[in-house]
């Protein structure tokens, strides 16, 4: 079970308005559940050439930002710790799976918060201002994932309280308290812990992302909430690493010709998709089984003769 969907949902409640940079690619487990979060690579040199070539195709948001770590010019302002470089005035949240690469030190020295996956007790202290720690335990009682949230000491109690309230609320939404163990405590001013663990079957919040927030490879820029195909007939979307479970992948579209439905792909394999009308839009959907260790790539291909003007309104993954 992946605890990342629960973790991202809780943190979005506790840290509203905080810009996020998820440096977990070629997996990337937080950004799918945090629309607007920028995705990136902590160690580009570790990528295989084919992975790097694929990831370089993707752009995010109305500014058309590339995957962080793969474009020196686009990364310069962010690496310099410039305020607002991630699109918000607040200090950013960096998401890392493991140690801190040297080139990220300026961001942390400028006050960035840090979310680290795995056992972080033996890792070096991040540069910059002194930080406290909230240990976050997510997943299930049989398989616990640990993440550590490092942030200014004077913010620990407030963020911990918000996380605790959000966890209790989410437990009710996802089936009631009997399906979850939720608890936490403040050990001291600089240290707290919080757990949200499923007691039985996996419970994952449904995923719904506006089209404009999805990393894509269209030549034109995204709008705030949508992706317009223009003259393009093919599209790829970087979904991130998602929980390995049977699910439905759904693309919500506008302007689709039902006589010429597109082909839907996942990681290069064509899916048995079906098309249905839903109000003024169309939904193209197919059953999938996702993998939790590598970012999935969804693809859409329009047939010859398809009329221009197709718009991707959003993507959903659910039961």
């Amino acid at each position: 079970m992946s605890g990342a969907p629960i973790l991202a949902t809780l943190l979005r409640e506790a840290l509203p308005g905080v810009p996020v940079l998820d440096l977990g690619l070629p997996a990337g487990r937080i950004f799918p559940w945090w629309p607007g979060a920028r995705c990136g690579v902590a160690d580009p040199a570790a990528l295989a050439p084919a992975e790097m070539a694929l990831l370089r195709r993707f752009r995010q948001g109305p500014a058309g930002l590339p995957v962080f770590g793969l474009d020196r010019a686009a990364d310069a302002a962010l690496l310099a710790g410039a305020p607002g470089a991630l699109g918000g005035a607040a200090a950013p949240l960096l998401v890392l799976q493991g140690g801190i690469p040297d080139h990220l030190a300026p961001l942390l020295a400028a006050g960035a918060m840090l979310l680290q996956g795995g056992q972080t007790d033996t890792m070096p202290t991040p540069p910059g201002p002194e930080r406290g720690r909230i240990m976050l335990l997510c997943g299930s009682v049989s398989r616990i994932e640990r993440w550590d949230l490092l942030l200014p000491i004077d913010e620990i109690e407030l963020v911990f309280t918000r996380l605790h309230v959000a966890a209790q609320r989410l437990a009710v939404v996802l089936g009631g308290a009997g399906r979850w163990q939720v608890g936490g405590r403040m050990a001291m001013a600089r240290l707290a812990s919080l757990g949200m663990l499923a007691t039985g079957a996996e419970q994952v919040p449904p995923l719904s992302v506006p089209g404009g927030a999805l990393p894509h490879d269209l030549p034109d820029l995204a709008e705030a909430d949508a992706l317009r195909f223009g003259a393009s007939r093919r599209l790829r979307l970087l979904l991130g690493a998602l929980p390995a479970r049977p699910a439905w992948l759904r693309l919500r579209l506008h302007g689709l010709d039902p006589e010429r439905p597109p082909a839907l792909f996942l990681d290069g394999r064509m899916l048995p998709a079906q098309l249905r009308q839903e109000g003024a839009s169309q939904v193209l959907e197919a059953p999938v089984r996702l993998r939790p260790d590598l970012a999935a790539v969804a693809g859409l291909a329009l047939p010859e003769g398809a009329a221009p003007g197709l718009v991707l309104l959003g993507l959903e993954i659910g039961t």
Side-chain angles (χ1 to χ4, degrees):
M1 176 177 183
S2 170
I6 299 297
L7 179 64
T9 303
L10 296 180
L11 287 171
R12 286 172 57 199
E13 291 287 327
L15 301 171
V18 168
V20 177
L21 175 59
D22 181 356
L23 292 156
L25 288 174
R29 297 169 58 203
I30 295 296
F31 81 84
W33 306 90
W34 201 314
R38 189 171 172 192
C39 59
V41 181
D43 184 10
L47 292 177
E51 284 180 322
M52 183 175 292
L54 175 64
L55 293 175
R56 276 184 168 152
R57 298 179 63 93
F58 293 102
R59 296 290 182 268
Q60 282 187 273
L65 296 172
V67 170
F68 177 82
L70 302 183
D71 187 307
R72 189 177 302 235
D75 296 343
L78 225 173
L79 288 173
L86 267 174
L93 173 66
L94 307 184
V95 181
L96 284 168
Q97 194 77 33
I100 303 170
D102 292 341
H103 66 278
L104 296 179
L107 287 175
L108 292 160
M113 296 177 287
L114 182 63
L115 178 66
Q116 282 183 294
Q119 298 295 326
T120 63
D121 296 323
T122 59
M123 293 182 186
T125 301
E130 188 177 10
R131 297 170 175 87
R133 182 189 307 264
I134 302 178
M135 293 186 295
L136 300 166
L137 306 177
C138 300
S140 70
V141 293
S142 61
R143 188 169 63 184
I144 299 173
E145 287 186 23
R146 174 177 164 180
W147 295 72
D148 282 358
L149 177 63
L150 307 180
L151 66 166
I153 294 174
D154 59 1
E155 296 180 17
I156 292 288
E157 185 173 2
L158 174 61
V159 173
F160 168 77
T161 300
R162 289 178 173 174
L163 284 167
H164 203 178
V165 170
Q168 292 171 325
R169 184 184 304 122
L170 184 59
V172 173
V173 172
L174 293 177
R179 296 188 176 183
W180 294 92
Q181 288 184 3
V182 177
R185 67 188 184 95
M186 288 282 301
M188 57 184 73
R190 60 180 301 135
L191 179 63
S193 63
L194 177 75
M196 183 171 180
L197 303 172
T199 59
E202 178 180 353
Q203 301 288 321
V204 179
L207 178 65
S208 179
V209 186
L214 290 160
H216 66 94
D217 67 349
L218 289 173
D220 296 331
L221 297 178
E223 297 179 355
D225 296 320
L227 282 175
R228 294 187 178 273
F229 276 59
S232 299
R233 293 180 46 245
R234 289 177 175 82
L235 161 72
R236 281 190 284 194
L237 301 166
L238 186 64
L239 305 185
L242 301 170
R245 61 189 176 100
W248 283 83
L249 169 64
R250 299 183 176 98
L251 297 185
R252 193 169 297 276
L253 303 157
H254 179 72
L256 188 66
D257 182 356
E259 299 298 321
R260 294 184 174 88
L264 181 60
F265 297 84
L266 184 67
D267 296 332
R269 295 184 178 181
M270 188 172 177
L271 300 174
Q274 56 192 40
L275 181 65
R276 58 183 170 85
Q277 191 74 28
E278 193 170 288
S281 61
Q282 298 101 9
V283 175
L284 186 68
E285 60 185 4
V288 294
R289 186 172 184 91
L290 302 161
R291 52 184 295 182
D293 57 339
L294 192 65
V297 176
L300 197 67
L302 300 178
E304 291 287 349
L310 184 62
V311 180
L312 174 63
L313 301 175
L315 178 144
E316 301 166 7
I317 295 179
T319 54

